[in-house]
Structures are given as structure tokens and as C-alpha cells.
């Protein structure tokens, strides 16, 4: 599997793939060009937070902050 610059990006791309959407299809839903989606997904450009929220919402996800302690415990649980 390809490596992405950030786990968040990998999760968003995975969800887009689960939905069977191309970058172009996603772009139409959030009113950006396919090339813009490609740049975000490759890490060449970072989307503004409102566009990142739009991307997540379009694929049925929500951005949330998770306390570092909870994140570390969740990651430890996955390793066991």
C-alpha cells in the first residue's frame, strides 16, 4: 500500500476509495478541481481547514481532536 504524508490523509483516501469515488468525483462534491484533491492527497499542498472539513464530511467522516493520552492508549491497544 502507498505511504501518505500523514495518517489523516491516508484515512481520507481510504474512505474515498471505499466509496468508489475518484478524485474528480470528490472534487465535484466539495467544489474543487481534481488537481487540487490530488495535491492535497499527495502532500504537495495543504488544504485550508474548512476544505479539509468539507472533504471529511463528503466522505462521511468528522475531524476531531483526541487527547494525546487517549490516542497513545488506542495505539497501544492496536499493537496487542
Amino acid at each position: 500500500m502507498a505511504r501518505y504524508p500523514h495518517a489523516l490523509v491516508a484515512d481520507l483516501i481510504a474512505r474515498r476509495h471505499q466509496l468508489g469515488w475518484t478524485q474528480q468525483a470528490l472534487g465535484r462534491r466539495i467544489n474543487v478541481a481534481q488537481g487540487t484533491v490530488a495535491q492535497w492527497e499527495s502532500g504537495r499542498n495543504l488544504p485550508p481547514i474548512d476544505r479539509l472539513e468539507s472533504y471529511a464530511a463528503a466522505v462521511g467522516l468528522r475531524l476531531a481532536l483526541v487527547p494525546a493520552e487517549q490516542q497513545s492508549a488506542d495505539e497501544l491497544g492496536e499493537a496487542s
Side-chain angles (χ1 to χ4, degrees), residues 10-77:
D11 290 345
L12 291 170
I13 293 169
R15 181 66 178 146
R16 178 175 62 76
H17 288 167
Q18 286 175 348
L19 294 170
W21 293 355
T22 62
Q23 291 174 340
Q24 185 176 25
L26 174 65
R28 278 195 301 265
R29 285 172 171 81
I30 62 172
N31 298 314
V32 300
Q34 176 274 328
T36 301
V37 175
Q39 289 179 4
W40 295 345
E41 290 184 351
S42 71
R44 282 179 280 165
N45 284 324
L46 297 175
I49 191 69
D50 62 323
R51 291 296 188 166
L52 188 58
E53 289 174 328
S54 295
Y55 184 139
V59 298
L61 299 175
R62 181 173 54 96
L63 299 180
L65 297 176
V66 178
E69 303 83 39
Q70 181 180 343
Q71 184 179 12
S72 295
D74 291 345
E75 289 170 356
L76 288 174

